[in-house]
Amino acid sequence: MPLKKKRPLARVLIHAALAIAAAHAPSALPQAVKLRLASSLCTSMTGAVLTSQQVPPLKSSVAAGPPNDALAARLQRQRDDYFAQLDGLAPFSGLYASGGADQSAAGGGRYSFGLEWELYNQGRDESRKRLDRARTEGKAQYLQLMRDTEQRQLQESLLAVEQMRNRLLALLYEREAAAIKPVLERRRQELAAGRATKADVAEIEFKAERAALRRSHYAGAADVLVYPQAQELINRIESVVLRPGPELLDLAVARSPDYQLQGLLAQRGDTLPALNDNLSVRLYVERAKELERGPQNVAGVRVRIPIGQDKARQDVEQAARDAYAQQQESVKAALAQKIALLTDRLRLRQNDMRLLQAENRMLRTRAELSCYRLDFPVSSIEGDPDRQVEEVTLLLHEKQREILAARLDVLEVLTELSAAVKPQRPEELYSLAP
C-alpha cells in the first residue's frame, strides 16, 4: 500500500520536471518572445522624458484673453481718475437771480429784479451735503464693482490652473500608457513561457487600463484659457520666496476694496439730516419800481434759526463710525489670517514637492543599479533586474506626474495669495531664490 501511494506522486514530480525543462528549452519558445530587456531601455530611462521635472509648454487654441482679468486691470487703472472726477465736482454756490412783477386791478403795479445769496437752506451748504452723499455712494459702488470683479478674476484664474492641470495630466498619462504597453507585452510573453503569474499580468493590465482611462478623461477637458505665459514661474516654483508677512499685509490692506469700502461707509454719517439744515440765512440785493413811484434799490438779510439740538444725531453718527471702524479691523484681521494660512500652505506644498523630488532621486538610484545588474549580474543581490527595471520605470513615470502636478498645486496657492495682496509687480509678492 505505501508503494502504491508513492508511485503516483513520483510520476507527478517527473512530469512536472519534464514540463519545466520543456518550457525552458529554446525550441519551446516562440520566435518573437524576448524575455530580457534591451540595454536601450536603461539608456532611455536617463533621457529627458523621465529626468525632466519641468512642465512642458501647454498649447492653447483660445485666442482671446480672460475677460475678468482685463476688466479688473481696467477698473484698477480708472479708479484714481474716477475718484478724482468725483472729488472735483463743486457744489452750487447758492446764488440766485430773482425777479417779479404784478399788476393790480386799479391800474397800479410793480416789478423788481436782483440777486439773492442763500448761504444755508437751499444754498451752498445743502448743495455740498448732497454732493458729498452722491460722491460717497459713487465711490462705494465703484469699490463694490472692483471687489466683485476681483472675485470673478480669482475664480477664473483658479479655473485656468485646473485646466492646465488637466492638459498636463492628459500628456503625462499618454506617456505613461506608452511606457506600460511594452511592459505588458513582455509580461504576457513571460506568462506564456511560465516565468510570470496571472497576478503579475493582471497588475500591469490594471495600470495600463488606468492610464488609458485617465488619459481619455483629461484629454477631453476644456482648453487652457490663461496662464500659458506662466511657464517660467511654474518651473521655478520651488524657488519662490515670499516677502515678509507684515509687508504683504500692509499691501493687502491698502489695496483691499472691502477695507476701503468700510471707510467710505463710515463717512455717510456726515450726510444724515441735521437740525442746522433748516437754518436759513439769505442775503439779497434788488432794484424795485412801483408804477406810481420811482425806482428804488433794496438790500437786506433774512434769517431763520431752528430751535433745538442734534445730540441724538451725533450719537448715531458716532455709533456708525465705531461700527465701521470695527469692520475695518475685522477685515484687516481676516486678511492677516488668510495671508498666514496661504503662506503656510505654499511652504507645505513646496516641501511636498521637494520630498517627491527626493523620492524620484532614490528611484533613479535603484534604476541605475538594476541597469548595471543587467550587464553585470551580482549574485549577492536578490531579485530579477529585468523585472526591477520595468517596475522602477513605471514608478518614475508616476513620480514625474506627481512632481509636475505638485508644481501646479504651489501655483494655485500663489494665485490665491496674489489675489489677496494684489501686487502691481511680482517683486512685491515674492522673489526667486538662485
Side-chain angles (χ1 to χ4, degrees):
M1 291 297 294
L3 292 175
K4 290 182 180 179
K5 290 183 179 180
K6 291 182 179 179
R7 285 176 183 174
L9 180 59
R11 189 179 298 112
V12 171
L13 293 175
I14 293 173
H15 284 298
L18 292 175
I20 294 174
H24 286 77
S27 59
L29 290 175
Q31 294 297 326
V33 175
K34 185 175 183 179
L35 301 181
R36 186 173 179 82
L37 296 175
S39 59
S40 60
L41 176 61
C42 287
T43 303
S44 66
M45 288 179 56
T46 59
V49 174
L50 290 180
T51 59
S52 175
Q53 296 177 4
Q54 306 292 305
V55 175
L58 301 175
K59 297 181 180 179
S60 173
S61 61
V62 180
N68 288 303
D69 194 8
L71 178 58
R74 185 165 60 253
L75 287 175
Q76 187 63 39
R77 289 195 306 268
Q78 296 175 349
R79 174 185 176 278
D80 294 338
D81 292 340
Y82 178 69
F83 282 15
Q85 290 175 358
L86 287 176
D87 292 335
L89 296 177
F92 172 54
S93 64
L95 187 64
Y96 294 87
S98 62
D102 59 64
Q103 181 74 34
S104 66
R110 69 184 298 274
Y111 70 88
S112 65
F113 62 90
L115 295 176
E116 292 185 0
W117 188 20
E118 181 67 69
L119 299 181
Y120 289 96
N121 190 13
Q122 298 182 358
R124 179 180 178 84
D125 187 69
E126 185 174 350
S127 175
R128 179 191 58 79
K129 183 173 289 189
R130 289 197 303 267
L131 183 59
D132 288 343
R133 185 184 300 114
R135 183 184 293 118
T136 300
E137 294 298 331
K139 291 181 179 180
Q141 292 175 3
Y142 197 90
L143 290 174
Q144 291 173 343
L145 182 62
M146 288 182 60
R147 179 190 60 189
D148 296 341
T149 304
E150 288 174 356
Q151 291 176 351
R152 292 191 296 268
Q153 181 188 17
L154 173 60
Q155 179 182 354
E156 189 175 70
S157 299
L158 294 177
L159 174 63
V161 175
E162 192 63 25
Q163 290 173 338
M164 289 183 65
R165 188 190 308 278
N166 294 339
R167 182 61 56 85
L168 176 63
L169 290 176
L171 176 63
L172 296 179
Y173 275 117
E174 181 178 359
R175 293 178 179 177
E176 186 174 345
I180 292 175
K181 184 176 180 180
V183 176
L184 179 59
E185 292 177 356
R186 283 192 296 271
R187 198 70 84 243
R188 287 171 176 170
Q189 291 173 353
E190 291 177 351
L191 176 64
R195 294 185 57 187
T197 64
K198 291 183 178 180
D200 295 333
V201 177
E203 180 182 359
I204 303 302
E205 287 178 342
F206 163 73
K207 293 183 178 181
E209 184 177 3
R210 180 184 63 183
L213 289 175
R214 291 185 175 175
R215 175 190 58 185
S216 176
H217 169 74
Y218 289 114
D223 200 359
V224 177
L225 294 178
V226 293
Y227 268 143
Q229 72 279 9
Q231 188 74 26
E232 182 180 357
L233 174 61
I234 295 173
N235 290 326
R236 296 189 61 189
I237 203 75
E238 68 273 22
S239 301
V240 167
V241 179
L242 296 176
R243 304 293 298 173
E247 293 184 16
L248 297 181
L249 178 59
D250 290 341
L251 288 176
V253 170
R255 298 168 182 174
S256 170
D258 280 331
Y259 189 87
Q260 299 171 21
L261 181 60
Q262 302 305 319
L264 276 176
L265 295 179
Q267 298 175 9
R268 292 194 304 182
D270 296 338
T271 62
L272 289 175
L275 191 63
N276 59 10
D277 291 340
N278 298 317
L279 173 67
S280 177
V281 177
R282 177 177 299 180
L283 305 177
Y284 64 91
V285 176
E286 65 180 19
R287 180 178 178 83
K289 183 179 187 306
E290 296 183 6
L291 298 181
E292 296 85 359
R293 302 177 183 178
Q296 57 182 342
N297 297 323
V298 180
V301 57
R302 296 186 181 94
V303 180
R304 187 177 62 185
I305 303 175
I307 300 176
Q309 58 180 353
D310 275 340
K311 187 176 186 309
R313 175 190 175 278
Q314 294 171 359
D315 293 340
V316 171
E317 179 182 351
Q318 186 60 42
R321 287 185 177 275
D322 293 342
Y324 286 119
Q326 293 173 1
Q327 287 294 312
Q328 282 188 317
E329 291 300 320
S330 176
V331 171
K332 183 176 181 179
L335 285 172
Q337 295 169 0
K338 186 174 185 178
I339 290 175
L341 177 63
L342 292 175
T343 299
D344 291 342
R345 188 182 300 172
L346 183 137
R347 291 169 179 167
L348 177 61
R349 294 288 186 270
Q350 287 178 318
N351 288 333
D352 289 343
M353 188 174 64
R354 294 187 182 102
L355 289 175
L356 289 171
Q357 291 172 333
E359 188 175 358
N360 180 273
R361 291 191 296 269
M362 178 190 69
L363 289 174
R364 289 190 52 77
T365 302
R366 288 175 52 187
E368 292 173 358
L369 177 60
S370 300
C371 289
Y372 179 83
R373 290 179 60 200
L374 286 177
D375 295 327
F376 305 97
V378 181
S379 58
S380 60
I381 301 178
E382 299 181 357
D384 184 0
D386 298 86
R387 183 72 60 87
Q388 291 175 352
V389 168
E390 292 175 344
E391 293 175 352
V392 174
T393 300
L394 300 184
L395 285 175
L396 282 172
H397 274 281
E398 295 180 7
K399 206 55 58 181
Q400 184 195 38
R401 184 179 68 247
E402 294 178 9
I403 291 173
L404 299 188
R407 290 187 177 277
L408 294 180
D409 291 340
V410 182
L411 177 63
E412 183 176 348
V413 180
L414 190 62
T415 300
E416 295 186 49
L417 194 56
S418 177
V421 178
K422 301 175 184 59
Q424 297 178 355
R425 302 182 309 277
E427 296 78 12
E428 292 182 346
L429 180 60
Y430 64 86
S431 59
L432 293 176

